[in-house]
Amino acid sequence: MAILIRKKPGIKSSEITPKSVYLDRRKFMKHSLATSVLLATDAMLPAWAKKWPDLADSKYSTKDTPSTFEEITTYNNFYEFGTGKEDPAKNAVNFDAKPWSITVEGECSKPGTFDLEDFIQPYALQDYIYRLRCVEGWSMVIPWVGFSLADMLKTFEPNSKAKYVEFTTLYDKSRMPGQKRRVLNWPYVEGLRIDEAMNELPIMAVGLYGDMLPNQNGAPIRLVVPWKYGFKSIKSIVKIRFTETQPKTTWNEAAPKEYGFYSNVNPDVDHPRWSQKKERRIGEPFWKPKIDTVLFNGYGDQVAHLYQGMDLVKNF
Ligand code: MTE
């Protein structure tokens, strides 16, 4: 569905600031949609997309100024569409995220396979302005549209053996050309401990800047875990599995000494090849000093208790 309404933004990035402005941008895009002969009409949008103009702001949204739409959609990590930062925006243009279904399986009483629309329908969408800190040392502030991961997981009634949740990205070389190269062990897999997944912060994102999720940001549905390094926030999810044992995650398998299972943002635990003490906010000029990285990316009040008694140097 995202591909149907993809259109170059008509507002300068300098004008894109908080919600009032991006709501206007959304109106602009709807207008563009209605007047374009090539694009979908409003009637072709799924029911859940029509609700978006009235979304409430999450109480967990940061007050930091959001990165611009252009920054968020042209500087990406999405190895399924190439390893360069500008590759996903170019190579995902023709990715067709429809139809899309999600399979839920493993240790739960209500597994199943669901069309995206049915899958999303029961949950309350909100705007969540969250920081995303990449392990590479850059960060952005992204106004996501999404819903609570915990609310979603509970509907599948995980049982007492469900100690972890595993997420898997689509594996289809014909639609994701980067998968033709074995730069990672495809499909991309990520995981959370069940109490992390049931925390109030993680979301399943289906949009950003009030519009549907651009392909390069993980269309049509992705995870966002704001206190962990960006690679935990897996894109284009097709499978969710409740497991008793810790999932084997892609980056941990690729380089276990560099990427742990937990991967909490932590300025005191350096990556073996570089420091994690500071970060560069994308969009800030190079001459401006980097900003200090904060433990748990600043979300410690909500998540520090999850790691009480754990050695976060060992469990990095
Ligand atoms: N998910 C998949 N399937 N493939 C990827 O390569 N990259 C991760 C994460 N999710 C990645 C992924 C990394 S390293 C980061 S930093 C974030 O996506 C980047 O998200 P963004 O491009 O929307 O900013």
Side-chain angles (χ1 to χ4, degrees), residues 6 17 21 39 64 128 166 202 206 210 220 240 276 288-289 297:
R6 205 51 35 233
T17 39
V21 179
L39 302 175
D64 292 9
Y128 293 84
E166 179 192 85
V206 291
I240 296 170
Q276 293 290 7
K288 258 191 128 176
N297 210 13

Side-chain angles (χ1 to χ4, degrees), residues 24-55:
D24 278 351
R25 179 173 181 279
R26 180 158 46 199
K27 273 188 220 138
F28 164 82
M29 291 195 75
K30 280 212 156 165
H31 179 72
S32 309
L33 200 68
T35 52
S36 168
V37 283
L38 287 175
L39 302 175
T41 66
D42 225 29
M44 289 168 74
L45 287 172
W48 49 270
K50 286 182 198 158
K51 293 180 197 151
W52 290 9
D54 306 315
L55 295 185

